Amino acid sequence: MRRRSQRLADRGAAFKVLYFFAVVIGWALFAVALAAVWLHFFPGRGQVAIAAASAVPLMLLAIVPAILILAVTRRWISTVLAVVLLGVGIWTQAPLFKAADAPTRGSVTVVQANLKLGQADAGEVVSRVRATGAALLTVEELTPQSL
């Protein structure tokens, strides 16, 4: 059986370039999925970290074409690593998509208020929350002056 380098040497220049770019794209997709697993465990704070962490499920999808590309280009060790990474990705994300059992009884009253960047009457919101006996208040467009 001929070695890979010998098989590639017999191919044309266009094939070699395409092969090279396919391997690079496979590894880039692998890196995206690896970053997704890292972000799952990263205890980051701030808007950038939260935005990146919210993309983790979509980023993990990059491993599927990575597996296909690496397998087609016969990068077997890379393909095995990508399959392992797929398993780790499923292990991290599967619990997030499994619904928890619903409570058997009881109800929760939730009040949601949009303070319109401080234009709404905060006192009115407080009185409505107290009147309804809400267990949870969610507020949008809250400004420091409203506090």
Side-chain angles (χ1 to χ4, degrees):
M1 181 177 271
R2 295 177 352 164
R3 300 182 67 194
R4 179 184 317 176
S5 60
Q6 227 175 359
R7 286 192 310 257
L8 284 176
D10 295 342
R11 304 286 180 140
F15 179 83
K16 291 176 189 176
V17 170
L18 181 63
Y19 183 88
F20 173 77
F21 281 117
V23 171
V24 169
I25 289 170
W27 269 103
L29 292 168
F30 181 91
V32 168
L34 186 63
V37 170
W38 177 77
L39 280 169
H40 177 78
F41 294 106
F42 180 66
R45 290 175 174 64
Q47 290 181 337
V48 174
I50 291 170
S54 68
V56 165
L58 294 176
M59 290 171 65
L60 279 171
L61 292 177
I63 200 64
V64 175
I67 291 171
L68 295 174
I69 291 170
L70 293 171
V72 166
T73 57
R74 298 182 181 191
R75 300 291 181 172
W76 302 121
I77 294 174
S78 302
T79 303
V80 169
L81 290 174
V83 169
V84 169
L85 186 58
L86 174 64
V88 171
I90 291 171
W91 174 72
T92 62
Q93 298 302 302
L96 302 177
F97 290 98
K98 181 182 179 285
D101 294 334
T104 55
R105 60 187 170 114
S107 63
V108 176
T109 303
V110 178
V111 173
Q112 193 280 331
N114 184 337
L115 296 184
K116 300 181 182 178
L117 294 175
Q119 301 300 316
D121 182 14
E124 176 67 22
V125 173
V126 170
S127 64
R128 286 199 183 200
V129 169
R130 288 187 178 145
T132 60
L136 178 65
L137 168 66
T138 63
V139 181
E140 292 180 7
E141 299 184 11
L142 181 66
T143 60
Q145 295 81 15
S146 300
L147 295 174

